Amino acid sequence: MKDKTIDYVLRTTWLAVQKMYNEEASKFESTMATGFTLLSIDPEEGTPSTSLGPKMGMEATSLSRILKTMETRGLIERKPNPEDGRGVLIYLTDFGKEKRGYSRDRVLKFNEAIRKNVPIDKLITFYEVADTINDLISNKKIYTNEVNNTKY
Amino acid sequence: MKDKTIDYVLRTTWLAVQKMYNEEASKFESTMATGFTLLSIDPEEGTPSTSLGPKMGMEATSLSRILKTMETRGLIERKPNPEDGRGVLIYLTDFGKEKRGYSRDRVLKFNEAIRKNVPIDKLITFYEVADTINDLISNKKIYTNEVNNTKY
DNA sequence: AAAATTTATTATGCACGCATAATAAATTGA
DNA sequence: TCAATTTATTATGCGTGCATAATAAATTTT
């Protein structure tokens, strides 16, 4: 494993998690992204769709299609936001609340399993390294000093 | 960051890396996956396409479409494997070799930047935790003990 | 050797996320 | 106030990866 690049490790580990979540979600006719979205919607009151992107770490434009699919499947309802003519409030249906419970269970179980099998200090280091990677990328410090097109 | 779930950290960090690689690749009319594939192909001799999936950590079926696109774009040639009537050997074109150099540069620069900014012991821990996550998933130890459909 | 199984590949459909462009409403500025 | 800008949303196209099914060649079994 240590001879692999950092991007390889990140990529394959994430793909494994994604695959696992999608396999689990398929057991209750759902998907990973739908599950994550359900968990980001307040089950008690209208959730402004603007709040979902930041919470889930993705672009609003990516969410739009997911929400549309979720509405088609009867998991949510989109209602106009009375306080903002552009905006939308998301409401979970009873069906959506049911699926949300299943998703919540899967996410909790996965995260518990990791915490039980990884010492806390190592987990903290893992988070720190992820933070550093995100910082390096968002600060654009990697490719800025003159792009090198050397051929190998 | 520490209040985020492990899957959230993995997902968003990988998405940031993917986005960065795609932005870089677009500067030389390529994509991330094409770059990774180019780097897995031996520039000197025919590469059996069977070797690519394991090396890149993905299914052969996923690669098939990527290779087709790469051939269409003139980066590679697929020739029948004389030693196996089912198989295919991949050859880089000169154009493919040129793009391979650009991709190699980007991957090296990224991994160097991380290594310069993350102490080696922390990086090792990062790899260890990733290993543990992959093990837990592939050993199916997370959801096997009676699926719990409790509603929340 | 013939039948059954496995392996390599392709095609197709779907999920997930970004980029870009369009539209409409809200906000800012002159 | 009216124009310019910003913000929220949707639509669309594309890249990336998996699942499934089909096909053909190789291997194993009988």
Side-chain angles (χ1 to χ4, degrees):
Chain A
M1 190 83 167
K2 293 197 189 60
D3 56 328
K4 298 291 186 181
T5 55
I6 295 143
D7 47 286
Y8 178 91
V9 172
L10 254 180
R11 175 175 154 278
T12 53
T13 305
W14 168 246
L15 286 177
V17 173
Q18 178 173 243
K19 189 176 169 185
M20 175 197 74
Y21 271 147
N22 273 319
E23 279 170 7
E24 286 299 313
S26 75
K27 294 178 183 171
F28 49 98
E29 296 79 43
S30 188
T31 69
M32 180 193 70
T34 292
F36 287 166
T37 308
L38 287 172
L39 289 174
S40 298
I41 298 171
D42 191 315
E44 304 303 332
E45 51 185 325
T47 301
S49 71
T50 43
S51 70
L52 295 181
K55 195 183 298 185
M56 298 175 65
M58 63 195 294
E59 303 293 324
T61 179
S62 304
L63 265 163
S64 179
R65 191 180 257 150
I66 292 172
L67 292 172
K68 181 184 165 194
T69 304
M70 288 172 71
E71 187 163 46
T72 301
R73 294 189 181 163
L75 297 163
I76 59 167
E77 284 182 296
R78 284 187 289 189
K79 297 183 179 171
N81 187 336
E83 291 176 3
D84 187 333
R86 300 164 298 181
V88 165
L89 291 179
I90 314 292
Y91 291 86
L92 287 186
T93 63
D94 286 345
F95 186 53
K97 288 177 187 172
E98 183 189 338
K99 302 294 188 188
R100 186 180 192 277
Y102 301 156
S103 296
R104 188 170 152 84
D105 181 54
R106 301 314 194 283
V107 170
L108 288 175
K109 272 222 175 65
F110 172 70
N111 282 275
E112 277 167 19
I114 306 299
R115 284 198 300 273
K116 275 184 198 157
N117 284 275
V118 177
I120 182 66
D121 57 313
K122 294 200 175 192
L123 197 54
I124 288 172
T125 297
F126 185 83
Y127 275 55
E128 281 175 8
V129 174
D131 249 342
T132 303
I133 294 172
N134 279 294
D135 283 348
L136 284 171
I137 293 173
S138 58
N139 294 334
K140 311 231 178 252
K141 287 183 180 167
I142 296 178
Y143 298 113
T144 41
N145 43 335
E146 199 41 53
V147 168
N148 174 3
N149 280 346
T150 307
K151 300 181 184 65
Y152 294 83
Chain B
M1 190 86 166
K2 293 199 188 59
D3 55 329
K4 299 291 186 180
T5 56
I6 295 142
D7 46 284
Y8 178 91
V9 172
L10 255 179
R11 176 175 152 278
T12 52
T13 305
W14 168 245
L15 287 178
V17 173
Q18 177 172 243
K19 190 176 168 184
M20 176 196 72
Y21 271 148
N22 273 319
E23 279 169 6
E24 286 299 314
S26 75
K27 293 179 183 171
F28 50 98
E29 295 78 43
S30 188
T31 68
M32 180 192 70
T34 292
F36 286 166
T37 309
L38 287 171
L39 289 175
S40 298
I41 299 171
D42 190 315
E44 304 303 332
E45 52 185 325
T47 302
S49 71
T50 44
S51 71
L52 295 181
K55 195 183 298 184
M56 298 176 64
M58 62 196 295
E59 304 293 325
T61 179
S62 305
L63 264 163
S64 178
R65 189 180 260 150
I66 291 172
L67 292 172
K68 181 185 166 194
T69 303
M70 289 173 69
E71 188 163 45
T72 301
R73 294 189 182 164
L75 297 163
I76 60 166
E77 284 182 296
R78 284 186 290 189
K79 297 182 179 172
N81 187 336
E83 291 177 3
D84 188 332
R86 299 163 299 180
V88 165
L89 291 180
I90 313 292
Y91 291 85
L92 287 186
T93 63
D94 287 344
F95 186 53
K97 288 177 187 172
E98 182 190 338
K99 301 294 188 188
R100 186 179 191 277
Y102 302 155
S103 296
R104 188 170 151 83
D105 182 54
R106 300 316 194 282
V107 170
L108 287 177
K109 270 221 177 65
F110 172 70
N111 283 274
E112 277 167 20
I114 305 300
R115 284 198 301 272
K116 275 184 199 154
N117 285 274
V118 177
I120 183 66
D121 57 315
K122 293 200 176 192
L123 198 53
I124 289 173
T125 298
F126 185 83
Y127 275 55
E128 281 175 8
V129 174
D131 247 343
T132 303
I133 294 172
N134 279 293
D135 283 349
L136 284 171
I137 292 172
S138 58
N139 294 334
K140 312 231 177 251
K141 287 182 179 167
I142 296 177
Y143 299 113
T144 41
N145 44 334
E146 198 43 51
V147 168
N148 174 4
N149 280 346
T150 308
K151 300 181 185 65
Y152 294 82

